Structures are given as C-alpha cells and as structure tokens.
C-alpha cells in the first residue's frame, strides 16, 4: 500500500513537471512559428521591393529603395543577401547613373548598407570592384550637394569594407581628396568653391578611409599636401569644416605623420637622401607647431551672439583632446552602452573614434542594431560587459540559490565536525 502511494505520489510530481515542460515547449514553438511568419513576411516584402527596382516610374523605384534602406538599417540581413547582392548592386548602380537626385541618394546609401551587411569578405570586395568606378564618376559629373554627399559616404564605406590592399584604398582616397582639394585633380581650371556641407562630409569620409592605412608603411612625402591644406581649413568660417579637419589632423598625429621620427607607420627610409629626410622632418615640425597653435585657439574660442553652443562646445572639446593627446600620448576613451547582453562599446584610439563617429552618422537609427548583431562592427570595436548593469531577476535567483547552497553545505560540514568532536569527547571520558 505504501509502495503504491509512493508510486502515485511520484506519478503526480511527474505529471506536473511534464505539464510545465509541454507548456514551455508549446510556447517556444509558438514563438518560433511567429518569428518564422514575420521572417517570411519580411522576405516577401523585400522581394517585392527588388521587383519594383526594375519599374520605369522613378517614384516607384524611389519607394522601393526607401523600403530597402529602412530594412537594411533596422536588420542585419546577411542570409537574405547571400545570393542577391549582385542583383541589388546592379540595380542600385543604375539608380545612381540614371535616377533623380533623391533616387541616387537612396541608392548610394543602399550600396553602403549592403557592404556593411555582407562584412569584410569576398562579396564585399566584389561590391567595391563593381561600384568604385561608377561612384567616382558620379562625384565629378554632377554638382548636386545632396547627391555628392551621399556618394562620398558610399565610396568611403565600400572601400573601407571591401579593399584588400593599400593600392585599392588609395584609388578611393585620391577620388575623395580631389573633392576636398580640387586643385589636386585634373580639372583645375573648372574649380568652384565647395559648399561647406559637402566639404565637411568629404573630409569625414576621407578620414574614415584613412584609418585603414595604419596597417601599411607609408611614404611621408605623400602627405605634405594633405597636412598643408587641412591646416588651412582650421581657419574655415564653417565650424563643421573645422571639426572635420581637426579629426583628420588628430589621426595624422596618431599615425605619426606629424612626428616622423616616432612613427612605426612612416617609411622615412623611402627618402633616400639625408637632405630630403632633414627637409621633411623640418617641414613636419613647423606644420606641427602651426597646427598646435591654432588648436589652442580653437579650444578656447569664445561664442558670439547666436552661436550654436553645442557645436561650439564640440569644437572646444575636440581640440582640447588633441592638445592633451600630443602632450600625454593618451587618447580619450568613448563608451557607449549597446545592450545588457552586448555591454559597452569602447573606442580608445583616434582611429576607433573616427570610425565610430562616421558609422554612427552613416547608419543613423540603425547603428544600435548593427552594433548588436553585425560581426563587422564587433571586429572594429572593443566590447565588454557593463559592470554597472544590475542583475536580472533570473540572475538574482541563481545567485541567491548558489549562495543558499553554499551556506547549507557549510552548515552540514560544521554539524558533522561538531558531532565528530562530541563523539571523540565521549570516548575519551569512557576511557
């Protein structure tokens, strides 16, 4: 009878646990079904957008591009693009070549998002190879400010992600530099003053791409023109241009371009004559002194009536950090909370800071999602757990459970030792 009752009791416990398990499995399957349905629905919608890219009506293509841009901002669609990236790329390029300004801007952004989605692999290199010539042509063939800015960002992104060597990177660096400093290009006689908005975007894109050259040793003679012209832009009337130029110059300091004798990246031996070496060192030292004097002025600039205080404070902060870096060699660290799972994203060099600022601007509202789920960004930045994050309710339960278990084991051990001491005491009394 007792055995039967125990079996029944055991059966009751099993049934209850089994019911919980079935309920849990059912919930999981339901969530999986919902996720699958959402995924299928999204894929169907994306396929419809792709079909609409072939339509003759420009407004239809613009709507499709807008939908694709939104989707690629909000999700890391790596699986979706595996067998479709060439189809997408070709249609995007057609939109840049033949579409309206709005369509070209959307298409440029879409190509950049496509490159960021596929990450640093063979597909990214193919995207770069297929698009660079068309993007470079778009930079010189039109004057529309919005289109030029979008193409500049796109060219920087596809080269950053897809280039395999310095030679490929230099092609895009040169194309962007000719926008920044038109006198360096072939059409010197047709030079027009570049709008400040485009100039700031161009410098930002160029600096972003320049962060990749730290892996190669570089000839210092190639940077005289860049250092000289960017130093003049520290006196530009537009604050956004001054800040963009300041970031580029901060990178020059980090790469050692303005401190040639301290740099591991500069191939000073490429100047095969002592007079040339001495002349280059003297020139860079004089430019460094000039730049630091201007940086000091910009770090304490007073704001007049109607001044945008945030932009002014950003300028002061940047140039003070540059001065501190030159003096101490320490770059200010930036920390961004991504999520409780992914913790903090940290940027601790000028290279990482410039990359972070550019990608935040380019990805916009999609930055957080890509920081969470895109392996490319995980490779670019340092992620670490946020020690200030409080434990979740489940983690607290586990922690309490482990603590209770430890205390129980200690109490058992103490009781056993006490019993053994008591038993030993009784035996000694009997003797």
């Amino acid at each position: 009878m007792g055995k039967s009752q125990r079996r029944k009791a055991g059966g009751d416990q099993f049934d209850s646990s089994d019911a919980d398990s079935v309920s849990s499995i059912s919930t999981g399957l339901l969530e999986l079904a919902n996720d699958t349905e959402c995924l299928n629905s999204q894929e169907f919608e994306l396929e419809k957008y792709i079909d609409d890219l072939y339509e003759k009506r420009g407004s239809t293509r613009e709507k499709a591009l807008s939908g694709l841009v939104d989707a690629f901002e909000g999700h890391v669609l790596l699986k979706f693009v595996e067998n479709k990236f060439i189809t997408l790329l070709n249609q995007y390029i057609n939109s840049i070549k033949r579409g309206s300004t709005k369509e070209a801007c959307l298409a440029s952004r879409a190509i950049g998002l496509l490159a960021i989605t596929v990450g640093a692999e063979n597909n990214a290199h193919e995207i770069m190879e297929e698009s660079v010539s068309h993007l470079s042509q778009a930079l010189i063939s039109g004057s529309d400010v919005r289109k030029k800015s979008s193409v500049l960002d796109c060219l920087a992104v596809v080269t950053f992600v897809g280039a395999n060597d310095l030679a490929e990177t230099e092609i895009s660096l040169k194309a962007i530099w000719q926008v920044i400093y038109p006198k360096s290009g072939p059409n010197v006689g047709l030079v027009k003053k570049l709008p400040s908005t485009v100039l700031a975007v161009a410098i930002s894109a160029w600096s972003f791409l320049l962060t990749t050259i730290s892996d190669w040793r570089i000839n210092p003679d190639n940077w005289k023109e860049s250092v000289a012209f960017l130093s003049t832009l520290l006196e530009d009337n537009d604050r956004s241009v001054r800040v963009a130029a300041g970031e580029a110059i901060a990178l020059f300091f980090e790469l050692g371009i303005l401190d040639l004798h301290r740099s591991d990246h500069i191939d000073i031996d490429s100047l095969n004559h002592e007079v040339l070496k001495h002349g280059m060192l003297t020139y860079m030292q004089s430019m460094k002194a000039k730049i630091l004097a201007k940086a000091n002025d910009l770090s304490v600039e007073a704001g007049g009536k109607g001044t945008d205080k945030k932009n002014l404070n950003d300028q002061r902060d940047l140039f003070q950090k540059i001065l501190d870096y030159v003096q101490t060699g320490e770059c200010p660290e930036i920390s961004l909370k991504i999520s409780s799972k992914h913790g903090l994203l940290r940027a601790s060099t000028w290279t990482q800071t410039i990359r972070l600022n550019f990608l935040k601007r380019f990805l916009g509202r999609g930055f957080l999602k890509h920081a969470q789920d895109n392996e490319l960004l995980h490779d670019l930045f340092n992620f670490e757990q946020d020690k200030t994050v409080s434990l979740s309710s489940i983690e607290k339960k586990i922690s309490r459970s482990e603590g209770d278990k430890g205390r129980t084991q200690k109490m058992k051990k103490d009781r056993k030792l006490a019993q053994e001491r008591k038993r030993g005491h009784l035996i000694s009394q009997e003797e």
Side-chain angles (χ1 to χ4, degrees), residues 24-218:
S24 177
I25 292 171
S26 299
T27 302
L29 289 173
L30 182 61
E31 291 175 352
L32 181 61
N34 289 336
D35 290 344
T36 303
E37 185 178 349
C38 290
L39 187 63
N40 290 337
S41 175
Q42 182 190 50
E43 190 162 335
F44 176 80
E45 190 174 25
L46 292 173
E47 292 284 2
K48 177 66 168 61
Y49 289 144
I50 294 174
D51 290 340
D52 286 347
L53 293 177
Y54 292 89
E55 292 291 326
K56 290 185 178 180
R57 189 184 295 272
S59 59
T60 303
R61 296 195 303 272
E62 288 174 10
K63 185 177 179 181
L65 284 166
S66 182
L68 287 164
V69 165
D70 286 345
F72 278 81
E73 279 181 355
H75 305 84
V76 182
L77 301 172
L78 184 57
K79 288 186 178 180
F80 177 77
V81 301
E82 279 179 343
N83 300 316
K84 298 182 177 69
F85 75 95
I86 285 296
T87 299
L88 286 166
L89 179 62
N90 288 335
Q91 292 309 117
Y92 293 160
I93 290 174
N94 285 337
S95 289
I96 291 175
K97 292 194 294 186
R98 294 193 285 269
S100 64
T101 294
K102 181 180 179 181
E103 184 177 346
C105 290
L106 286 167
S108 298
R109 182 159 180 73
I111 293 175
L113 289 167
L114 183 63
I116 288 174
T117 298
V118 302
E121 55 181 39
N122 291 335
N123 291 348
H125 187 254
E126 191 168 351
I127 290 171
M128 186 210 70
E129 286 186 315
E130 293 293 327
S131 61
V132 162
S133 61
H134 299 290
L135 295 170
S136 298
Q137 181 60 35
L139 284 179
I140 61 176
S141 61
S143 59
D144 186 272
V145 171
R146 289 180 299 160
K147 180 176 178 180
K148 196 177 286 286
S149 296
S150 297
V151 171
L152 283 163
D153 279 346
C154 179
L155 181 58
V157 169
V158 297
T159 308
F160 179 93
V161 180
N164 286 340
D165 54 43
L166 182 58
E168 291 179 339
T169 302
E170 284 181 330
I171 292 172
S172 295
L173 278 171
K174 183 178 180 181
I176 298 173
W177 182 252
Q178 287 176 0
V179 174
I180 298 170
Y181 185 58
K183 290 182 180 179
S184 65
N187 301 317
V188 178
L190 303 175
V191 171
K192 294 181 180 180
K193 182 173 173 57
L194 199 65
S196 297
T197 51
V198 179
L199 182 56
V201 168
I203 298 169
S204 174
W206 187 79
S207 301
F208 174 67
L209 196 48
L210 190 66
T211 64
T212 64
I213 72 165
S214 61
D215 295 330
W216 298 292
R217 288 175 65 80
I218 49 184

Side-chain angles (χ1 to χ4, degrees), residues 219-261:
N219 185 337
D221 198 43
N222 295 341
W223 302 101
K224 287 180 67 175
E225 181 180 89
S226 305
V227 170
F229 185 65
L230 287 170
S231 69
T232 66
L233 293 182
L234 297 180
E235 300 179 11
D236 194 88
N237 292 330
D238 191 280
R239 186 167 285 113
S240 65
V241 172
R242 297 199 295 269
V243 168
E247 285 192 341
I249 285 169
L251 186 59
F252 284 163
F253 277 115
E254 184 169 84
L255 292 173
I257 292 172
L258 288 163
D259 275 315
L260 297 180
H261 59 288

Side-chain angles (χ1 to χ4, degrees), residues 413-428:
K413 185 177 180 181
D414 290 343
R415 280 199 299 271
K416 185 176 180 181
L417 289 171
Q419 288 172 353
E420 289 177 353
R421 283 197 295 269
K422 185 177 180 181
R423 191 181 300 113
H425 179 67
L426 290 173
I427 290 172
S428 63

Side-chain angles (χ1 to χ4, degrees), residues 254-273:
E254 184 169 84
L255 292 173
I257 292 172
L258 288 163
D259 275 315
L260 297 180
H261 59 288
R262 297 182 182 178
S263 175
D264 294 328
H265 306 296
I266 301 298
D267 187 10
I268 193 68
D269 292 330
S270 61
L271 302 174
N272 54 13
H273 194 287

